[in-house]
Amino acid sequence: MASLARESIERPALLAEARRSRPGPLTWLAHNYLFVRIPLLAPDAFLRATVGVVAPLFSRVFAALVVLAGLAGLYLASRQWDAFLAAFMHLVTLEGVLLYGIALAVVKSLHELGHAYAAVRYGCRVPAMGLCLMMLFPLLYTDVSDVWRLRSRRRRMLVGAAGLLVELAIACLATLAWAFLP
């Protein structure tokens, strides 16, 4: 009974101390400016509903086709190497910079979807996707923190590498497309 009385006296003092020690918004921002997450979507239901649609993209056949497309694209680009290098001069114009920015936003969005779909494929939740500020520079992020529960190190690694693999597939297909498009 005495311990309950002592707890009831100490509790308000401890709560008041906790409130006083909580940093203000500016102090918090100064200490946490390196990485701030702003969740924009809760994509788990959408990802689970559509994971079957993208399942063929996780197959070995698709991976082999992408590698073949990349090799064919490199071969065809190497035959027109001067034209290939000259195409990059378009990026110096205003139109080129704008198109590059749009392409970068699309590729980075697909990169994050790669992580998300890989996580859902292995049974993990993806509670949030959004924007993060890393040293006040905006980046996209996908919360795949549930992946740590996977027992297979290979699966954890594939979820982590999925974004890069998506970007490599896009690069292979884009290189092949360059050879055939004006």
Side-chain angles (χ1 to χ4, degrees):
M1 191 71 143
S3 67
L4 284 175
R6 189 175 68 227
E7 254 183 54
S8 64
I9 294 170
E10 291 175 354
R11 184 178 170 101
L14 290 173
L15 287 173
E17 178 64 29
R19 278 190 218 103
R20 281 193 303 273
S21 67
R22 189 176 300 153
L26 290 177
T27 305
W28 179 88
L29 184 62
H31 289 268
N32 294 294
Y33 82 98
L34 292 176
F35 192 77
V36 178
R37 287 185 177 184
I38 305 166
L40 300 175
L41 302 170
D44 201 53
F46 170 78
L47 293 169
R48 291 191 187 287
T50 58
V51 73
V53 175
V54 299
L57 302 178
F58 286 97
S59 71
R60 290 177 192 255
V61 171
F62 181 76
L65 289 174
V66 167
V67 168
L68 288 174
L71 292 172
L74 284 174
Y75 172 72
L76 293 171
S78 71
R79 295 188 62 196
Q80 307 174 49
W81 194 249
D82 292 336
F84 184 73
L85 291 178
F88 288 102
M89 290 308 294
H90 178 68
L91 294 176
V92 180
T93 66
L94 179 62
E95 179 188 12
V97 170
L98 291 174
L99 288 174
Y100 179 75
I102 292 168
L104 187 63
V106 169
V107 169
K108 290 303 178 182
S109 297
L110 292 172
H111 170 110
E112 295 303 326
L113 280 172
H115 290 301
Y117 276 118
V120 167
R121 183 170 183 252
Y122 296 129
C124 299
R125 290 180 342 104
V126 180
M129 292 176 88
L131 191 68
C132 70
L133 301 174
M134 188 175 294
M135 293 181 58
L136 300 178
F137 187 80
L139 301 167
L140 297 174
Y141 83 93
T142 300
D143 182 1
V144 291
S145 55
D146 204 29
V147 170
W148 70 270
R149 295 180 181 183
L150 293 175
R151 290 191 185 274
S152 168
R153 184 181 305 159
R154 182 178 184 276
R155 287 183 173 186
R156 288 192 306 264
M157 186 177 71
L158 283 172
V159 172
L164 177 65
L165 294 173
V166 166
E167 289 189 32
L168 284 172
I170 291 169
C172 288
L173 297 172
T175 305
L176 181 63
W178 178 88
F180 295 106
L181 297 176

